[in-house]
């Protein structure tokens, strides 16, 4: 078969389609309507359809060069008596820029579907890559056939099903069968169709060609890649001799949030840098140093053909205090994993909502919910005692572990100057910048991040027990003096050269070589002629005498080794130092990346080439006498191949079953709302630098490299990835900016495509206005 007009294609399918039915229709051209509107109206009424759907079938629609989807009007639920007005509206929507309508354009009328159980849109291939997935976007909560195409539902669901998936989920298996029949009839999988399940049967409402890139993907080879992923997931469903918990799951957000920091499809250099500096071993050294279990031989992050995922069982083991015995540790890890499986929307909030990793003033109340999972009062008390001792060691006024981590940052800065001034080759500089970055940068940063998390948890617990209210919480956060706040002030006060000397090493996408540093493209990020608006000073944070007495009493009752002043000193230092540590270690990382780029240029490789290399080639160049061109070239070639594979694979944010590799629903994540403010503003991409002022800015992640946005007086921002304790969450709190962080791919896609949003953080609502 071949594609015709929208109405013509449906008409030709009606007698041959077996897997679904096609509604009857009456179609006519614009010229025919103009010549005999009364006669056509009478014919339509004679059909006896109580309600009608009046739809366009323009010559330009559904062509090989473009679908023009949604360009022209469709009028639904039209009484037969009102059909003339509906046809007139549809014809008017097909007018060109001069107001003329091609007389050969068509309009067609069909009976309106009633008792719709499910309706949606399906693609025969992944529309972004052409990979062999059926992609179904549907709504099973509305009685409308157009809730997906009109964007009127907040309950849309998206499912990916591989062409060779072993199992088809009901009732979507019938839709897959329809796509496969159409694929046979038209000789292509590049199909875009609208469907509905009504009166117990499947109805094809429209089918047209799908414009997709030619990915050149071999379906069988693609299935084999997914088979490897499925096998790895299956391995994780079994016990491990050196881990507590009967099984694991894999996620893109729990613990060190790779989706937030390097993205869900990082270039090979980004992935290898993050593994080297954080997730292979540094993360585990920090946890063990701070009193948790020893996981030093376990990498926290693995990857599935280049897509990074956290091994959640390993993560949950690392939050068990080292003095908790085997049986209770097993019980805890199993409970944590089961909680995540029962509430997968918490995958970016595991430390706030699932794991007990530190002592807070509301911990006994939170631990009480363990009774429902079979934990005895003695087990709950033992965990509370262990977490109290661990927390006291970390936050002690005089000997707190975070203090020694803070001091290491000065060592990093001093050694960096020595490395850059030394008479050594470029490879040696890269090697030692990264080695020092681990020992004196990311290791203490991990500790300070732990202190910062405990500080936020402790502050939240003061609200939970009623000593502080939300306004006081916001006032405390607004009073913080973070690096980001200093940068905003310095942009006003410092000259360009001094400012870039201090902040020039930062870049959006901290681990992304293709993202220019501030000092490499300063005009891209900053408007040097515009004065940054001063934010109105926030209400100062202050404790009343009654609050101080209440807090002092609580600290004593809970056995926490702090006085009130010492506690708030820690709360401030914990949050501020976390951001400062990131700022400091990023300089080593950024300088090493710049030198790595120059190393490539020296040997004939472009900037783009070097983004595909693995940083471990630097280790080999430092430790062996080898041909650098051959070594780097081989690394780049492998990286390009692996990245091409990464781009062909789609996976959900949480993997719990081998079947998830082949068929899964993309969940709508529960976002993190920051502040209690509300804003209505236009939505712009962070790339649209001319329209940032007064806008809600859409950015992919909560990476600190996006700090430059705050110099543009934005109204708020939304991110696809990021947690409640991410850098940008802290920054939004500090500035009092309404923000929605970690919306997930589905909601972020919907909100970032809108023109105008209302963001109501207090009520945790985002409304698309246009």
């Amino acid at each position: 078969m071949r594609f015709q007009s929208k109405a013509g294609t449906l008409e030709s399918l009606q007698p041959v389609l077996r897997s679904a039915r096609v509604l009857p229709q009456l179609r006519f051209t614009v010229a025919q309507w103009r010549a005999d509107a009364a006669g056509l109206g009478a014919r339509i009424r004679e059909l006896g359809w109580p309600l009608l759907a009046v739809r366009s079938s323009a010559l330009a629609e559904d062509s090989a060069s473009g679908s023009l989807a949604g360009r022209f009007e469709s009028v639904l639920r039209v009484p037969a008596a009102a059909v003339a007005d509906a046809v007139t509206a549809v014809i008017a929507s097909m007018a060109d820029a001069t107001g003329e309508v091609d007389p050969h354009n068509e309009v067609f009328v069909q009976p309106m579907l009633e008792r719709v159980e499910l309706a949606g849109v399906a693609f025969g291939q992944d529309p972004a890559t052409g990979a062999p997935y059926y992609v179904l976007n549907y709504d099973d909560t509305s009685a409308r056939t157009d809730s997906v195409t009109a964007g009127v539902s907040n309950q849309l669901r998206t499912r990916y099903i591989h062409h060779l998936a072993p199992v088809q989920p009901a009732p979507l298996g019938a839709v897959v069968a329809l796509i496969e029949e159409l694929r046979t009839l038209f000789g292509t999988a590049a199909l875009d169709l609208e469907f509905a399940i009504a009166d117990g049967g499947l109805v094809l409402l429209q089918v047209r060609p799908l414009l997709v890139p030619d990915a050149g993907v071999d379906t069988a080879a693609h299935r084999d890649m997914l088979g490897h992923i499925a096998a790895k997931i299956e391995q994780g469903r079994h016990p491990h001799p050196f881990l507590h918990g009967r099984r694991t799951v894999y996620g893109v957000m729990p613990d060190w949030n790779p989706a937030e920091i390097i993205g869900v499809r990082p270039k090979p250099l980004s992935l290898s840098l993050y593994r080297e500096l954080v997730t292979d071993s540094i993360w585990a050294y920090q946890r063990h140093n701070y009193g948790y279990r020893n996981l030093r031989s376990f990498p926290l992050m693995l990857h599935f053909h280049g897509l990074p995922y956290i091994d959640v069982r390993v993560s949950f083991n690392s939050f068990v205090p080292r003095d908790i015995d085997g049986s209770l540790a097993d019980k805890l890890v199993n409970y944590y994993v089961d909680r995540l499986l029962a509430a997968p929307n918490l995958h970016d909030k595991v430390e706030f909502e699932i794991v007990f990793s530190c002592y807070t003033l509301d911990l006994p109340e939170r631990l009480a919910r363990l009774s429902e999972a079979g934990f005895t009062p003695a087990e709950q008390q033992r965990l509370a005692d262990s977490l109290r001792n661990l927390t006291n060691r970390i936050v002690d006024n005089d000997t707190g572990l975070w203090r020694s981590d803070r001091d290491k940052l000065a060592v990093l800065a001093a050694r960096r100057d020595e490395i850059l001034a030394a008479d050594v080759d470029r490879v040696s500089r890269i090697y030692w910048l990264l080695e020092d970055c681990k020992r004196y940068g990311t290791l203490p940063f991990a500790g300070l991040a732990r202190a910062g998390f405990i500080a936020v948890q402790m502050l939240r617990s003061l609200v939970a027990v009623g000593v502080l209210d939300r306004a006081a919480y916001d006032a405390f956060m607004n009073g913080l003096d973070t690096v980001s706040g200093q940068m905003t002030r310095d942009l006003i006060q410092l000259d360009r050269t001094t400012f870039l000397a201090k902040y020039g090493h930062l870049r959006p996408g901290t681990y992304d070589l293709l993202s220019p540093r501030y000092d490499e493209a300063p005009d891209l990020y900053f408007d040097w002629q515009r004065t940054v608006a001063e934010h109105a000073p926030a209400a100062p944070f202050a404790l009343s005498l009654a609050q101080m007495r209440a807090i002092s009493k609580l600290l004593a009752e809970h056995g926490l080794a702090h006085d009130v002043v010492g506690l708030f000193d820690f709360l401030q230092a914990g949050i501020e130092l976390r951001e400062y540590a990131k700022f400091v270690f990023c300089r080593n990382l950024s300088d090493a990346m710049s030198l790595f780029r120059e190393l490539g240029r020296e040997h004939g490789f472009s900037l783009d080439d070097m983004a595909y290399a693995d940083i471990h080639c630097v280790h080999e160049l430092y430790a062996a006498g080898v041909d650098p061109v051959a070594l780097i070239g081989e690394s780049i070639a492998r990286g390009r191949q692996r990245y091409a594979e990464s781009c062909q694979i789609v996976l959900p944010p949480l993997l719990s079953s081998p079947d998830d590799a082949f068929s899964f629903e993309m969940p709508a994540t529960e976002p993190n709302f920051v502040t209690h403010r509300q804003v209505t503003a236009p939505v712009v991409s962070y790339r649209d630098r001319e329209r940032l002022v007064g806008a809600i800015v859409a950015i992919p992640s909560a990476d600190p490299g996006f700090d430059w946005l705050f110099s543009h007086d934005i109204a708020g921002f939304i991110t696809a990835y990021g947690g409640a304790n991410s850098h940008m969450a802290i920054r939004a709190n500090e500035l009092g900016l309404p923000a929605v962080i970690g919306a997930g791919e589905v909601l972020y896609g919907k909100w970032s495509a809108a023109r105008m949003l209302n963001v109501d953080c207090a009520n945790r609502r985002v409304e698309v206005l246009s």
Side-chain angles (χ1 to χ4, degrees):
M1 296 190 70
R2 64 181 181 84
F3 289 102
Q4 304 170 44
S5 67
K6 183 193 301 184
T9 298
L10 287 173
E11 190 173 85
S12 65
L13 282 169
Q14 191 169 22
V16 299
L17 198 63
R18 298 289 175 262
S19 55
R21 63 190 174 98
V22 177
L23 297 174
Q25 62 169 274
L26 176 66
R27 63 173 171 141
F28 45 85
T29 66
V30 171
Q32 289 171 328
W33 177 263
R34 287 172 173 170
D36 188 18
L40 286 170
R43 285 182 60 192
I44 293 169
R45 289 189 293 274
E46 288 170 4
L47 293 170
W49 298 332
L51 289 176
L52 311 172
V54 183
R55 307 171 66 193
S56 67
S57 184
L59 298 176
E61 285 185 274
D62 300 353
S63 69
S65 59
S67 71
L68 297 184
R71 174 72 63 86
F72 307 127
E73 189 78 29
S74 290
V75 185
L76 306 180
R77 306 187 66 81
V78 179
V83 70
D85 289 342
V87 172
T88 300
V90 172
I91 290 174
S93 72
M94 293 188 282
D96 62 20
T98 66
E100 295 298 316
V101 179
D102 190 320
H104 298 95
N105 282 343
E106 293 179 329
V107 176
F108 68 113
V109 180
Q110 293 178 298
M112 190 70 203
L113 267 184
E114 299 297 332
R115 293 179 292 278
V116 175
E117 302 163 25
L118 181 152
V121 173
F123 302 123
Q125 293 174 268
D126 178 7
T129 65
Y133 293 96
Y134 300 127
V135 184
L136 284 65
N137 191 217
Y138 63 99
D139 177 15
D140 56 5
T141 64
S142 169
R144 296 180 56 158
T145 59
D146 67 334
S147 59
V148 173
T149 55
V152 296
S153 174
N154 289 321
Q155 304 296 323
L156 299 185
R157 301 169 67 176
T158 301
R159 177 165 282 275
Y160 284 76
I161 303 172
H162 193 264
H163 287 185
L164 299 178
V167 178
Q168 307 292 353
L172 300 179
V175 182
V176 171
L178 169 60
I179 304 172
E180 290 176 344
E181 183 183 2
L182 292 170
R183 181 179 174 183
T184 300
L185 289 170
F186 288 100
T188 179
L191 300 166
D192 174 358
L193 56 135
E194 295 178 26
F195 64 90
I197 296 177
D199 293 324
L202 182 60
V203 181
L204 175 65
L205 300 174
Q206 183 173 334
V207 61
R208 57 191 170 212
L210 175 67
L211 301 181
V212 293
D214 182 11
V217 182
D218 180 89
T219 302
H222 194 273
R223 176 198 56 198
D224 291 343
M225 288 194 292
L226 298 189
H228 301 150
I229 295 171
K232 183 65 176 176
I233 297 170
E234 177 59 35
Q235 292 172 18
R237 284 153 59 98
H238 299 279
H240 188 286
F242 307 125
L243 288 173
H244 297 290
R246 69 179 77 92
R247 60 160 306 171
T248 191
V249 294
Y250 303 97
V252 299
M253 282 298 293
D255 204 359
W256 284 100
N257 304 357
E260 175 188 343
I261 303 301
I262 57 175
V264 293
R265 287 184 181 80
K267 292 289 192 341
L269 179 64
S270 299
L271 181 65
S272 63
L273 279 168
Y274 199 51
R275 294 176 66 183
E276 173 73 11
L277 295 182
V278 177
T279 66
D280 276 355
S281 60
I282 291 299
W283 77 281
Y285 274 75
Q286 175 270 320
R287 295 275 162 85
H288 190 224
N289 290 346
Y290 270 56
Y292 299 94
R293 298 191 71 83
N294 183 357
L295 276 295
R296 294 191 181 194
S297 295
F298 287 93
L300 178 65
M301 183 180 73
L302 46 76
H303 69 86
F304 297 117
H305 287 278
L307 279 68
Y309 278 78
I310 295 300
D311 185 330
V312 175
R313 176 170 54 182
V314 170
S315 168
F316 286 166
N317 270 261
S318 77
F319 286 124
V320 176
R322 68 171 70 137
D323 58 356
I324 295 292
D325 65 13
S327 60
L328 180 53
D330 264 331
K331 201 170 181 179
L332 276 171
V333 173
N334 285 329
Y335 167 76
Y336 294 155
V337 172
D338 290 345
R339 275 268 293 150
L340 180 58
L341 289 172
N345 59 301
L346 300 179
H347 75 119
D348 61 340
K349 308 174 183 68
V350 293
E351 274 203 80
F352 286 107
E353 302 290 345
I354 294 177
V355 172
F356 301 103
S357 63
C358 65
Y359 197 95
T360 56
L361 298 173
D362 60 345
L363 182 66
E365 290 76 17
R366 293 193 296 121
L367 286 177
R369 69 181 183 222
L370 290 176
S371 299
E372 300 172 6
F375 287 80
T376 67
E379 288 173 327
Q380 296 173 40
Q381 187 60 52
R382 184 168 183 195
L383 179 58
D385 292 342
S386 179
L387 290 173
R388 180 188 298 107
N389 293 334
L390 179 148
T391 303
N392 278 333
R393 285 198 304 271
I394 294 173
V395 306
D396 185 89
N397 276 340
D398 301 315
T399 62
L401 297 170
W402 63 275
R403 295 180 182 275
S404 60
D405 279 334
R406 175 195 59 190
D407 296 340
K408 290 176 184 175
L409 299 175
V411 178
L412 178 67
R415 287 177 63 94
R416 181 178 61 248
D417 292 341
E418 288 186 56
I419 293 168
L420 294 176
D423 184 19
V424 295
D425 61 281
R426 187 175 285 120
V427 167
S428 296
R429 286 196 179 95
I430 299 170
Y431 178 85
W432 283 107
L433 282 170
L434 294 178
E435 284 296 303
D436 274 13
C437 190
K438 288 187 290 186
R439 185 173 296 108
Y440 304 109
T442 54
L443 181 60
F445 164 71
L448 292 168
R450 170 78 4 221
F453 173 81
I454 293 173
V456 172
Q457 281 281 71
M458 190 69 71
L459 193 62
R460 287 186 170 196
S461 75
L462 287 168
V463 176
V465 298
V467 177
L468 299 181
D469 58 17
R470 182 68 202 198
Y473 177 96
D474 290 341
F476 180 85
M477 298 298 287
N478 290 341
L480 294 173
D481 188 18
T482 63
V483 169
S484 302
Q486 295 166 16
M487 187 179 80
T488 301
R489 294 194 300 272
D490 284 346
L491 185 61
I492 302 171
Q493 298 169 1
L494 300 181
D495 63 78
R496 174 176 168 142
T497 301
T498 307
F499 177 85
L500 290 175
K502 185 174 181 179
Y503 300 102
H505 65 281
L506 298 175
R507 64 176 96 218
T510 302
Y511 294 81
D512 183 3
L513 187 66
L514 300 181
S515 178
R517 291 167 42 132
Y518 286 0
D519 57 10
E520 291 171 347
D523 295 333
L524 187 65
Y525 300 115
F526 303 104
D527 181 353
W528 303 96
Q529 305 304 315
R530 188 173 62 82
T531 303
V532 178
E534 290 278 6
H535 289 278
F541 174 78
L543 291 173
S544 68
L545 187 58
Q547 285 175 314
M548 294 181 70
R549 286 173 177 158
I551 294 171
S552 182
K553 181 180 178 183
L554 283 169
L555 292 174
E557 288 175 354
H558 287 272
L560 292 174
H562 257 308
D563 56 45
V564 177
V565 175
L567 172 65
F568 277 87
D569 281 346
F570 164 73
L571 296 180
Q572 179 177 357
I575 299 171
E576 292 178 352
L577 281 171
R578 173 197 168 191
E579 305 307 312
Y580 177 69
K582 187 179 294 184
F583 174 77
V584 173
F585 90 69
C586 281
R587 189 180 293 275
N588 264 53
L589 169 59
S590 190
D591 287 348
M593 290 167 65
S594 295
L595 288 167
F596 190 68
R597 176 194 61 200
E598 294 170 13
L599 177 68
R601 184 185 296 126
E602 176 187 347
H603 295 294
F605 298 106
S606 69
L607 174 65
D608 184 68
D609 288 334
M610 296 302 283
Y612 293 94
D614 189 303
I615 197 60
H616 290 101
C617 66
V618 169
H619 290 246
E620 189 68 12
L621 289 171
Y622 182 78
V626 294
D627 179 358
V629 175
L631 183 71
I632 297 172
E634 289 168 5
S635 182
I636 291 169
R638 286 194 304 271
R640 284 190 180 278
Q641 179 181 353
R642 191 178 73 195
Y643 187 70
E645 295 171 354
S646 303
C647 291
Q648 295 168 5
I649 294 173
V650 185
L651 293 173
L654 202 66
L655 293 164
S656 60
S657 165
D659 292 341
D660 292 342
F662 292 95
S663 175
F664 59 88
E665 186 169 314
M666 191 67 78
T669 303
E670 179 66 27
N672 301 285
F673 288 84
V674 182
T675 77
H676 277 191
R677 298 198 174 186
Q678 180 177 354
V679 64
T680 298
V683 183
V684 303
S685 165
Y686 70 95
R687 295 186 178 92
D688 194 353
R689 290 173 171 80
E690 300 301 316
R691 299 172 55 224
L692 295 175
V693 176
I696 296 169
V697 183
I699 58 177
S701 69
D703 188 278
F706 286 104
D707 275 347
W708 60 272
L709 288 170
F710 301 121
S711 70
H712 290 268
D713 299 328
I714 63 176
F717 62 91
I718 57 174
T719 78
Y721 298 104
N725 204 34
S726 66
H727 169 88
M728 295 293 271
I730 299 296
R731 189 69 176 113
N733 258 316
E734 182 186 6
L735 290 175
L737 271 179
V740 186
I741 292 178
E745 291 188 31
V746 175
L747 291 176
Y748 179 77
K750 175 183 177 181
W751 295 339
S752 62
R755 289 194 301 169
M756 184 77 67
L757 286 181
N758 174 254
V759 176
D760 183 352
C761 293
N763 290 309
R764 303 180 63 81
R765 291 182 64 251
V766 178
E767 183 180 4
V768 176
L769 301 181
S770 63

